[in-house]
Amino acid sequence: MKKTWRGLMAGLLGISMLLGSLGSVSAAATPKDIQGHWAQKQLQSWLDKGYLGGYPDGTVKPNKAITRGEYVALINRLFGFTETASISFTDVKSTNWVYSEVAKAVKAGYIGGYENNTFRANNPLTRQEAAVIAAKVLKLSTSSTTLKFKDSAQVAAWAKGAVVAAADKKIINGYPDGTFGPKKSLTRAEAVGIISNSVVYKPSGTGGVTPTPAPTATPAPTATPVPSTSPTATPVTGGSGGGTGGGGGGNVTLPSVSNVTYGHVGSVTADVYVTPSVTGAVYYVVAPYSINVTAPTVAQVKNGLTSAGTAGVHSGTIATTANTTVVFSVYGLSAGTEYTVYVALADNSGNWSGVTPLRLKTAASSTTSLTQVGVESIGTVTAAVYAKYGQTEGLPAPLKYVVVKATEADPTAQQISEGKDSAGVVLTGTFTGPNSTVSPGAKHTFALSGLTSNTAYKIFFITGSNGNFSPVEILRIQTK
């Protein structure tokens, strides 16, 4: 059985599934990013048994989101689904790795597409979608639709029976605060829990593998948004043709992006990380998230437009080097709001990747939270940035910023409020400010000078004092 399970896991590596490289059967070291995690015991058990592998940097990324395509591939292998149906989703090409997995899932009858004939394989799988899949695969009764969660009204009508059934059998648990979080993205840790809990009710004769189930802990809500990241894109090869230039046709490997995720998220800003497969430029556009909104085309992303043809909340482009992660700030956001950052990559020959979505939610606001942060201009050794906090009728509060090079460590909120860098050194000149309280509800522009040309900087903004601070906002700029 162990060999069978390892064979399953090895088959998942090529499609950026839940697992990294397989570990040994002996006890594995505890990765730093699962220490203290609600699912540490279960994740460690899987690591020890070789069921779960980590990433090259020694992490497991338990909070990384699972996409629809990744999840159906895992279900297919776990339950032994091999027969395929004929599919014609407009966004699932026969050259894509997920094509056969979607065809198996449709044949097995546990998932379908959307009303516009798309499948959206790269979209994060939500918790209510996972409940529906579990109910269909395990043939659970979904006749009862009486939900007992505080956010039951947020559960879609088509998922209520499945959520009741999955929760009743403790396949998918609710949160300690009494909510279910139906629209939240399913994480790697939660997926491990669902798999372990599902095998108890696995119908006989379905094939696949049967790992030993383990009790699932319930994740506690956190103020930090749950990341919705995208999997490593699989390069698509074009067919051989006549060609119209020096190349004379032949196969072309299109650019792709991977590790599309976010780092720091404030109330009105967010850091986005992208790793390109080729040297070129990444284009991005930000739009409010909606389950019914389709992704923009590559041309729209390039022009900073949403799928509706309107300007995005924020857009831009940044030069990239192959296999080197770039970081950029998106701003102009509103507190406590879900957004999608759409990313596309162009290489130096004019070839384009597909569009990859990244979903995130900004931090909640407070009476002194920053309400606006942005860039007005950037020169070779100067820049102008702006910030706004609170309401016009609100009470004044200290507003502080510090400027450090992008290669330096991030200062703490307390250090920012004191005008210091991460080493505790007090910054001077325009690298910190302002030195007096500024009025709430008004836009304040800060002129920065003494910068170095062609250099990346991070600008940290914060309001508050005595340990009572707003969420930190980060702006990243690159001088010319």
Side-chain angles (χ1 to χ4, degrees):
M1 182 59 69
K2 289 182 179 178
K3 291 183 178 179
T4 303
W5 179 252
R6 289 178 183 175
L8 161 67
M9 293 307 162
L12 302 179
L13 297 180
I15 54 175
S16 187
M17 290 294 296
L18 290 172
L19 313 175
S21 59
L22 287 174
S24 64
V25 180
S26 59
T30 302
K32 292 187 298 183
D33 63 343
I34 72 168
Q35 293 176 13
H37 193 276
W38 61 265
Q40 177 179 344
K41 184 176 180 180
Q42 189 170 17
L43 290 167
Q44 187 65 50
S45 174
W46 279 44
L47 286 167
D48 293 343
K49 295 174 181 176
Y51 297 166
L52 179 67
Y55 287 81
D57 62 0
T59 63
V60 172
K61 295 180 174 51
N63 295 328
K64 185 177 181 180
I66 300 297
T67 67
R68 285 165 54 85
E70 290 174 327
Y71 199 71
V72 299
L74 182 57
I75 291 294
N76 290 341
R77 284 157 178 75
L78 175 65
F79 287 89
F81 297 131
T82 57
E83 294 185 27
T84 59
S86 176
I87 59 173
S88 58
F89 298 117
T90 57
D91 60 344
V92 181
K93 305 302 181 185
S94 59
T95 51
N96 195 317
W97 69 264
V98 82
Y99 183 88
S100 62
E101 301 299 340
V102 173
K104 294 173 189 175
V106 172
K107 179 66 175 179
Y110 64 81
I111 198 170
Y114 292 84
E115 62 280 351
N116 62 349
N117 198 34
T118 60
F119 184 80
R120 305 176 193 176
N122 289 334
N123 280 19
L125 185 83
T126 64
R127 285 169 53 83
Q128 65 182 359
E129 287 177 323
V132 170
I133 290 175
K136 290 185 176 181
V137 171
L138 300 175
K139 305 186 186 305
L140 304 180
S141 172
T142 58
S143 58
S144 175
T145 57
T146 303
L147 294 163
K148 300 178 181 179
F149 298 104
K150 291 180 180 179
D151 56 351
S152 295
Q154 298 179 23
V155 179
W158 48 265
K160 286 185 176 180
V163 170
V164 171
D168 181 60
K169 294 187 178 297
K170 299 190 182 302
I171 293 170
I172 305 180
N173 298 318
Y175 292 94
D177 64 355
T179 63
F180 182 78
K183 297 180 181 178
K184 285 187 176 181
S185 301
L186 191 73
T187 67
R188 283 164 54 89
E190 289 176 322
V192 168
I194 292 171
I195 293 167
S196 294
N197 295 337
S198 295
V199 296
V200 177
Y201 305 98
K202 179 180 172 183
S204 60
T206 54
V209 297
T210 307
T212 302
T216 304
T218 302
T222 171
T224 303
V226 176
S228 296
T229 58
S230 300
T232 302
T234 300
V236 179
T237 56
S240 58
T244 56
N251 290 336
V252 177
T253 301
L254 299 184
S256 62
V257 292
S258 62
N259 300 324
V260 181
T261 186
Y262 63 69
H264 178 85
V265 178
S267 293
V268 294
T269 61
D271 272 353
V272 177
Y273 294 76
V274 177
T275 303
S277 65
V278 296
T279 297
V282 161
Y283 293 79
Y284 58 91
V285 62
V286 185
Y289 168 77
S290 173
I291 194 170
N292 297 318
V293 173
T294 59
T297 64
V298 167
Q300 287 174 319
V301 172
K302 179 182 179 181
N303 294 320
L305 303 176
T306 68
S307 59
T310 57
V313 173
H314 180 60
S315 61
T317 182
I318 183 169
T320 61
T321 302
N323 303 314
T324 301
T325 299
V326 296
V327 189
F328 55 87
S329 294
V330 294
Y331 52 90
L333 312 181
S334 298
T337 304
E338 286 190 273
Y339 291 92
T340 304
V341 183
Y342 298 100
V343 178
L345 169 68
D347 65 18
N348 290 332
S349 298
N351 298 307
W352 283 84
S353 69
V355 176
T356 300
L358 169 65
R359 184 173 155 193
L360 57 85
K361 184 176 182 180
T362 53
S365 63
S366 66
T367 55
T368 57
S369 290
L370 283 103
T371 57
Q372 196 176 68
V373 169
V375 179
E376 286 194 347
S377 64
I378 299 177
T380 54
V381 294
T382 61
V385 298
Y386 60 86
K388 178 179 175 182
Y389 80 95
Q391 305 300 321
T392 303
E393 66 278 6
L395 296 175
L399 184 157
K400 200 78 174 183
Y401 74 81
V402 296
V403 183
V404 302
K405 289 185 177 180
T407 54
E408 297 180 26
D410 294 356
T412 65
Q414 184 65 45
Q415 288 173 323
I416 297 169
S417 72
E418 296 172 353
K420 300 177 180 178
D421 63 14
S422 61
V425 176
V426 176
L427 300 173
T428 59
T430 59
F431 287 83
T432 183
N435 294 318
S436 59
T437 301
V438 297
S439 303
K443 179 181 176 181
H444 303 278
T445 300
F446 307 109
L448 311 179
S449 60
L451 306 179
T452 303
S453 63
N454 192 30
T455 302
Y457 289 90
K458 295 180 291 189
I459 307 168
F460 299 85
F461 294 89
I462 198 169
T463 62
S465 59
N466 300 322
N468 184 23
F469 300 118
S470 69
V472 175
E473 307 296 339
I474 302 180
L475 270 183
R476 293 176 180 268
I477 64 171
Q478 172 84 34
T479 54
K480 298 179 180 178

Short mmCIF file of all heavy atoms in Angstrom, two decimals, residues 387-389 394-400 433-446 462-463:
data_model
loop_
_atom_site.label_atom_id
_atom_site.label_comp_id
_atom_site.label_asym_id
_atom_site.label_seq_id
_atom_site.Cartn_x
_atom_site.Cartn_y
_atom_site.Cartn_z
N ALA A 387 0.08 60.06 0.64
CA ALA A 387 -0.65 59.24 1.59
C ALA A 387 -1.78 60.06 2.19
O ALA A 387 -1.72 61.29 2.26
CB ALA A 387 0.27 58.73 2.69
N LYS A 388 -2.81 59.35 2.63
CA LYS A 388 -3.98 59.97 3.23
C LYS A 388 -4.50 59.01 4.29
O LYS A 388 -4.49 57.79 4.10
CB LYS A 388 -5.04 60.22 2.15
CG LYS A 388 -6.34 60.83 2.61
CD LYS A 388 -7.25 61.01 1.40
CE LYS A 388 -8.62 61.51 1.79
NZ LYS A 388 -9.51 61.63 0.60
N TYR A 389 -4.93 59.53 5.44
CA TYR A 389 -5.42 58.64 6.49
C TYR A 389 -6.65 59.23 7.15
O TYR A 389 -6.87 60.45 7.12
CB TYR A 389 -4.34 58.40 7.54
CG TYR A 389 -4.19 59.52 8.55
CD1 TYR A 389 -4.85 59.46 9.78
CD2 TYR A 389 -3.41 60.63 8.27
CE1 TYR A 389 -4.73 60.49 10.70
CE2 TYR A 389 -3.28 61.65 9.19
CZ TYR A 389 -3.95 61.59 10.41
OH TYR A 389 -3.83 62.62 11.30
N GLY A 394 -12.20 63.38 11.67
CA GLY A 394 -11.58 62.53 12.67
C GLY A 394 -10.50 63.24 13.47
O GLY A 394 -10.13 64.39 13.17
N LEU A 395 -9.99 62.56 14.48
CA LEU A 395 -8.95 63.11 15.33
C LEU A 395 -7.58 62.94 14.66
O LEU A 395 -7.32 61.93 14.01
CB LEU A 395 -8.94 62.41 16.69
CG LEU A 395 -10.21 62.60 17.54
CD1 LEU A 395 -10.09 61.74 18.80
CD2 LEU A 395 -10.40 64.07 17.89
N PRO A 396 -6.70 63.93 14.80
CA PRO A 396 -5.36 63.82 14.24
C PRO A 396 -4.59 62.66 14.87
O PRO A 396 -4.79 62.34 16.04
CB PRO A 396 -4.71 65.16 14.57
CG PRO A 396 -5.86 66.09 14.80
CD PRO A 396 -6.93 65.24 15.43
N ALA A 397 -3.72 62.04 14.11
CA ALA A 397 -2.87 60.96 14.61
C ALA A 397 -1.53 61.04 13.88
O ALA A 397 -1.46 61.54 12.75
CB ALA A 397 -3.52 59.61 14.37
N PRO A 398 -0.47 60.57 14.50
CA PRO A 398 0.83 60.60 13.83
C PRO A 398 0.80 59.76 12.55
O PRO A 398 0.29 58.64 12.55
CB PRO A 398 1.79 59.99 14.86
CG PRO A 398 1.10 60.18 16.18
CD PRO A 398 -0.37 60.04 15.87
N LEU A 399 1.33 60.32 11.46
CA LEU A 399 1.50 59.57 10.21
C LEU A 399 3.00 59.57 9.92
O LEU A 399 3.62 60.63 9.91
CB LEU A 399 0.72 60.21 9.07
CG LEU A 399 0.74 59.48 7.72
CD1 LEU A 399 -0.46 59.88 6.88
CD2 LEU A 399 2.00 59.77 6.91
N LYS A 400 3.56 58.41 9.71
CA LYS A 400 5.01 58.31 9.53
C LYS A 400 5.34 57.45 8.33
O LYS A 400 4.62 56.50 8.00
CB LYS A 400 5.63 57.69 10.79
CG LYS A 400 7.11 57.97 10.95
CD LYS A 400 7.37 59.36 11.46
CE LYS A 400 8.86 59.57 11.75
NZ LYS A 400 9.11 60.90 12.32
N GLY A 433 9.76 60.68 7.59
CA GLY A 433 8.94 61.88 7.76
C GLY A 433 7.49 61.48 7.96
O GLY A 433 7.14 60.31 7.91
N PRO A 434 6.60 62.44 8.11
CA PRO A 434 6.92 63.83 8.46
C PRO A 434 7.25 63.93 9.94
O PRO A 434 7.01 63.00 10.70
CB PRO A 434 5.63 64.57 8.12
CG PRO A 434 4.56 63.54 8.34
CD PRO A 434 5.16 62.22 7.94
N ASN A 435 7.79 65.07 10.34
CA ASN A 435 8.20 65.25 11.72
C ASN A 435 7.13 65.93 12.57
O ASN A 435 7.36 66.25 13.73
CB ASN A 435 9.50 66.06 11.78
CG ASN A 435 10.66 65.29 11.16
OD1 ASN A 435 10.79 64.10 11.39
ND2 ASN A 435 11.47 65.97 10.38
N SER A 436 5.99 66.18 11.97
CA SER A 436 4.88 66.78 12.72
C SER A 436 3.59 66.09 12.29
O SER A 436 3.52 65.49 11.22
CB SER A 436 4.80 68.28 12.47
OG SER A 436 4.61 68.54 11.08
N THR A 437 2.57 66.17 13.15
CA THR A 437 1.29 65.54 12.86
C THR A 437 0.62 66.22 11.68
O THR A 437 0.57 67.45 11.60
CB THR A 437 0.37 65.61 14.09
OG1 THR A 437 1.01 64.94 15.17
CG2 THR A 437 -0.97 64.94 13.80
N VAL A 438 0.10 65.43 10.75
CA VAL A 438 -0.60 65.99 9.58
C VAL A 438 -2.08 65.75 9.74
O VAL A 438 -2.51 64.84 10.47
CB VAL A 438 -0.08 65.37 8.27
CG1 VAL A 438 1.39 65.70 8.06
CG2 VAL A 438 -0.28 63.87 8.28
N SER A 439 -2.87 66.53 9.06
CA SER A 439 -4.33 66.49 9.23
C SER A 439 -4.93 65.22 8.64
O SER A 439 -4.50 64.75 7.58
CB SER A 439 -4.95 67.71 8.56
OG SER A 439 -4.42 68.90 9.08
N PRO A 440 -5.94 64.66 9.31
CA PRO A 440 -6.63 63.48 8.76
C PRO A 440 -7.55 63.90 7.61
O PRO A 440 -7.99 65.05 7.52
CB PRO A 440 -7.43 62.97 9.95
CG PRO A 440 -7.70 64.20 10.77
CD PRO A 440 -6.48 65.05 10.62
N GLY A 441 -7.81 62.95 6.72
CA GLY A 441 -8.76 63.18 5.63
C GLY A 441 -8.22 63.99 4.48
O GLY A 441 -8.93 64.25 3.51
N ALA A 442 -6.95 64.40 4.54
CA ALA A 442 -6.36 65.20 3.47
C ALA A 442 -5.21 64.44 2.83
O ALA A 442 -4.51 63.68 3.49
CB ALA A 442 -5.86 66.53 4.01
N LYS A 443 -5.02 64.66 1.54
CA LYS A 443 -3.93 64.01 0.81
C LYS A 443 -2.63 64.76 1.08
O LYS A 443 -2.56 65.99 0.94
CB LYS A 443 -4.23 64.00 -0.68
CG LYS A 443 -3.14 63.38 -1.55
CD LYS A 443 -3.53 63.43 -3.02
CE LYS A 443 -2.41 62.90 -3.91
NZ LYS A 443 -2.77 62.98 -5.34
N HIS A 444 -1.59 64.04 1.46
CA HIS A 444 -0.29 64.63 1.76
C HIS A 444 0.75 64.06 0.80
O HIS A 444 0.92 62.85 0.72
CB HIS A 444 0.12 64.35 3.20
CG HIS A 444 -0.88 64.82 4.21
ND1 HIS A 444 -0.95 66.13 4.63
CD2 HIS A 444 -1.88 64.17 4.84
CE1 HIS A 444 -1.93 66.26 5.51
NE2 HIS A 444 -2.52 65.08 5.64
N THR A 445 1.44 64.95 0.09
CA THR A 445 2.48 64.53 -0.86
C THR A 445 3.84 64.73 -0.23
O THR A 445 4.12 65.77 0.38
CB THR A 445 2.38 65.34 -2.16
OG1 THR A 445 1.09 65.12 -2.75
CG2 THR A 445 3.46 64.90 -3.15
N PHE A 446 4.71 63.72 -0.39
CA PHE A 446 6.05 63.77 0.19
C PHE A 446 7.08 63.66 -0.93
O PHE A 446 7.07 62.71 -1.71
CB PHE A 446 6.23 62.63 1.19
CG PHE A 446 5.16 62.58 2.24
CD1 PHE A 446 4.21 61.57 2.23
CD2 PHE A 446 5.09 63.56 3.22
CE1 PHE A 446 3.22 61.51 3.19
CE2 PHE A 446 4.09 63.52 4.18
CZ PHE A 446 3.16 62.50 4.17
N ILE A 462 2.67 54.26 8.10
CA ILE A 462 1.90 53.79 9.24
C ILE A 462 1.31 54.98 9.99
O ILE A 462 1.87 56.09 9.95
CB ILE A 462 2.79 52.94 10.19
CG1 ILE A 462 1.93 52.08 11.12
CG2 ILE A 462 3.73 53.83 10.99
CD1 ILE A 462 2.72 51.04 11.88
N THR A 463 0.19 54.79 10.66
CA THR A 463 -0.36 55.80 11.55
C THR A 463 -0.55 55.17 12.93
O THR A 463 -0.58 53.95 13.06
CB THR A 463 -1.72 56.32 11.06
OG1 THR A 463 -2.66 55.24 11.03
CG2 THR A 463 -1.62 56.93 9.68
#
